[in-house]
Structures are given as structure tokens and as C-alpha cells.
């Protein structure tokens, strides 16, 4: 499924960002960073961004519609980074990042992924189509041995 491939690529990028953040953080701790203040900022951003990408990958796998927009956004940010790496003559970093970004965009925006992530009212077999009666309680409220609470109608007893 296309969404699984998009999630795998998003997770790989997230894990790479976390790895990079840990590397820069370690360099900062041992005193190897050229500019410690910038290195701390890079560390925090890489760790937070990587964690966010891992959360998006998990959301894609769970068919959570919110996960697609930040996944697309991270790929749109990755493209200029890949281009910058290419211009700074680092093709071993630029090419994989650029390919992963383009592939993830195509996969996340493909029709099968859209069908997986976007709930459409009226789709056959959609469990959200059947409306529960207005006075229906939750499953916990109607469990055996437990009575449903009375519905408050807003009227005073006479």
C-alpha cells in the first residue's frame, strides 16, 4: 500500500534526523562544536523534528487524517535542503534526501493514500455512515449489569 511506503520513508527521515541530532549533541558535549550555541539549537530542532516525523509516520499507518499535512510539509522543507546540499557538492547526502522527499510526496498524495486517510461520508461500508440514535449511550454505559443513565431532557419534574 502506498501509505505504508510513505510512512516508511517518513520514519526513515525521522530516525535520521534524530541520529543527526544525537551526533551534534554529542559533539557539543565533548567540546568539538565550532559554535556551541548554534549546535545546541541544531540538536534541539533535529530531535524535535525527528520525533515529529516519527509521529507522522505512525499517524499515516493508523490512517489518522491529520498526519498527511505535516508529512507533506516536512517533504516540502526537505527539497530545498537537498538542493542546498547538492549545491554545496555533497551529492551523497543530497540525492537520497531529494529522492526520499519526492517519493514520499508522491506516495502521500496518491489516490490510494488519499482513500486510506480521508474519510468520505457516504462511502459504502463506512462505519461512520450509520448514525446512532440520539439517546444511545456508549458501550460502557450499556454493558451487562450496568443500567444506562437517564437522559436529561432539561425539563423539571411536575
Amino acid at each position: 500500500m502506498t501509505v505504508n511506503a510513505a510512512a516508511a520513508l517518513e520514519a526513515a527521515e525521522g530516525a535520521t534526523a534524530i541520529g543527526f541530532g544525537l551526533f551534534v549533541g554529542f559533539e557539543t558535549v565533548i567540546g568539538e562544536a565550532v559554535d556551541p550555541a548554534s549546535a545546541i539549537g541544531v540538536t534541539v530542532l533535529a530531535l524535535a523534528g525527528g520525533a515529529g516525523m516519527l509521529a507522522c509516520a505512525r499517524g499515516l499507518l493508523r490512517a489518522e487524517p491529520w498526519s498527511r499535512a505535516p508529512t507533506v510539509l516536512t517533504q516540502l522543507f526537505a527539497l530545498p535542503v537537498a538542493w542546498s546540499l547538492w549545491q554545496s557538492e555533497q551529492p551523497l547526502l543530497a540525492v537520497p534526501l531529494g529522492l526520499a522527499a519526492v517519493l514520499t510526496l508522491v506516495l502521500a498524495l496518491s489516490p490510494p493514500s488519499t482513500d486510506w486517510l480521508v474519510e468520505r461520508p457516504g462511502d459504502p461500508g463506512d462505519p461512520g455512515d450509520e448514525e446512532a440514535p440520539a439517546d444511545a449511550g456508549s458501550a460502557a454505559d450499556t454493558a451487562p449489569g450496568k443500567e444506562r443513565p437517564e437522559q436529561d431532557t432539561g425539563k423539571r419534574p411536575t
Side-chain angles (χ1 to χ4, degrees), residues 42-123:
V42 167
T43 298
V44 170
L45 287 174
L47 292 175
M53 287 188 274
L54 290 175
C56 288
R58 185 176 185 207
L60 288 173
L61 291 175
R62 292 178 162 209
E64 296 180 15
W66 65 264
S67 61
R68 188 161 77 158
T71 297
V72 168
L73 190 61
T74 57
Q75 302 317 308
L76 292 176
F77 283 130
L79 288 172
V81 171
W83 181 251
S84 176
L85 288 168
W86 180 263
Q87 289 181 324
S88 64
E89 299 177 5
Q90 296 186 41
L92 292 176
L93 298 173
V95 171
L97 179 60
L99 286 174
V102 170
L103 280 172
T104 305
L105 279 170
V106 168
L107 292 167
L109 297 173
S110 69
S113 293
T114 300
D115 290 342
W116 173 258
L117 294 167
V118 178
E119 192 174 313
R120 294 186 183 117
D123 281 350

